[in-house]
Amino acid sequence: MTVRLHHLNCGSLCPACQRGINGNGGWTAAALMPCHCLLIETPEALVLVDTGLGTADVARASQRLGRAFTLLGQPKCDPAETALAQVRALGFDPRDVKHLVTTHLDLDHTGGLPDFPHAQVHVWERELAMAQHGGFMDRIRLCKHHIAHGPQWVTHRAEGDAWFRFEAVRIIPGLSAEIALIPLHGHTLGHCGVAVKVDGRWTLHAGDAYFNRATLDGSAMPPLIGLFEKLVQRDALLRLRNQARLRSLVEQHGDEVDVFCAHDLAEFQAHAA
């Protein structure tokens, strides 16, 4: 059995203003923002990078996610889009998902944690500390329902590893796929990318380090996405610095690294195809 990557949309968000968010279509039409997750299939275990919206979230969205999120984000709430349903649809036993790796702990990235209560949950040490004990603006980003089952947290910090001039820490030893957490702070104070190496080539799930491919390719940024990035950032200088580093990574090592973010529709469609 070889290592394979499966690109999953674990929650369609359909806010108003397609042109302002997706960069095309009408100003009053609904946009589409996927929750782009990555299932890593190895002979030893399944690893899920981010979990999108969970089964309980789509069943009781307003109660679980809050009225503000459901009103603004307009989640589709399709049970078939949950990571649990898609793992089963691919023919896997959900208990084979032994590891959940989070880019960060915002509620649209952690909804599936309760659906895999047996799995270890890997997170950057400061991200968990800020979500649990930080200021109000840090703590409200983590949905209490998503951790009520008591996740098996595994925290990580930088240990001197290097990855294309980024700090990194290799996690989950013993797998056929090499997986690393890459600090990309700014959106949250412990936000990370997740890099996985398959057949000599790296794939980097950049999470919410950026929201639209325009950040990397220099095309026109949809205006509402640019505004949203600023509204939800925790450290503007870190966010912009890491976005510049990602652009350099793509320019200099695009033949070695494939980079995508969590919510860009065109990126997801290209990878899912």
Side-chain angles (χ1 to χ4, degrees):
M1 175 182 173
T2 59
V3 176
R4 297 180 62 191
L5 302 181
H6 303 271
H7 293 266
L8 313 178
N9 173 18
C10 296
S12 295
L13 307 179
C14 306
C17 198
Q18 184 181 36
R19 181 170 293 275
I21 292 173
N22 294 137
N24 53 30
W27 288 103
T28 58
L32 177 57
M33 296 176 67
C35 292
H36 191 163
C37 301
L38 186 65
L39 182 67
I40 307 169
E41 177 187 352
T42 78
E44 300 82 17
L46 298 177
V47 180
L48 184 61
V49 179
D50 279 350
T51 63
L53 304 182
T55 54
D57 295 333
V58 300
R60 304 184 300 277
S62 182
Q63 176 185 342
R64 298 271 296 188
L65 304 174
R67 293 182 180 180
F69 180 87
T70 53
L71 179 64
L72 295 175
Q74 292 293 307
K76 186 177 179 181
C77 294
D78 182 356
E81 286 189 343
T82 63
L84 183 66
Q86 294 192 67
V87 166
R88 286 173 172 158
L90 287 168
F92 300 120
D93 184 339
R95 292 198 62 84
D96 289 335
V97 179
K98 303 295 187 184
H99 302 274
L100 306 174
V101 185
T102 60
T103 59
H104 62 301
L105 298 178
D106 280 0
L107 58 84
D108 54 327
H109 296 256
T110 59
L113 296 186
D115 293 333
F116 305 93
H118 56 280
Q120 293 184 339
V121 183
H122 298 263
V123 62
W124 198 252
E125 182 179 66
R126 190 182 187 197
E127 180 71 6
L128 182 59
M130 295 303 296
Q132 292 181 328
H133 309 296
F136 176 74
M137 294 306 296
D138 296 302
R139 288 183 283 109
I140 63 172
R141 302 177 78 132
L142 174 61
C143 176
K144 63 181 181 180
H145 301 294
H146 294 169
I147 61 170
H149 64 290
Q152 302 178 50
W153 299 112
V154 181
T155 59
H156 301 277
R157 65 173 71 180
E159 297 176 348
D161 290 340
W163 185 85
F164 294 99
R165 297 184 180 179
F166 289 80
E167 284 187 308
V169 56
R170 267 64 174 179
I171 62 174
I172 318 178
L175 293 185
S176 299
E178 185 177 356
I179 303 174
L181 283 178
I182 314 298
L184 295 173
H185 308 331
H187 176 67
T188 66
L189 297 179
H191 181 283
C192 289
V194 181
V196 54
K197 190 175 186 180
V198 178
D199 296 331
R201 181 174 174 82
W202 286 96
T203 294
L204 176 64
H205 188 319
D208 287 357
Y210 68 97
F211 280 78
N212 187 277
R213 62 197 178 281
T215 297
L216 301 186
D217 65 20
S219 57
M221 175 69 72
L224 290 185
I225 284 294
L227 174 62
F228 182 73
E229 277 193 316
K230 295 176 182 177
L231 290 175
V232 298
Q233 68 190 5
R234 285 294 286 112
D235 189 309
L237 291 178
L238 276 177
R239 178 180 68 85
L240 294 173
R241 174 176 177 267
N242 281 317
Q243 287 182 349
R245 297 172 74 203
L246 287 172
R247 282 193 293 273
S248 296
L249 175 68
V250 171
E251 292 170 0
Q252 298 172 17
H253 302 283
D255 58 337
E256 301 172 75
V257 186
D258 178 28
V259 181
F260 63 87
C261 69
H263 298 299
D264 184 276
L265 177 61
E267 285 186 342
F268 175 74
Q269 290 175 333
H271 287 87

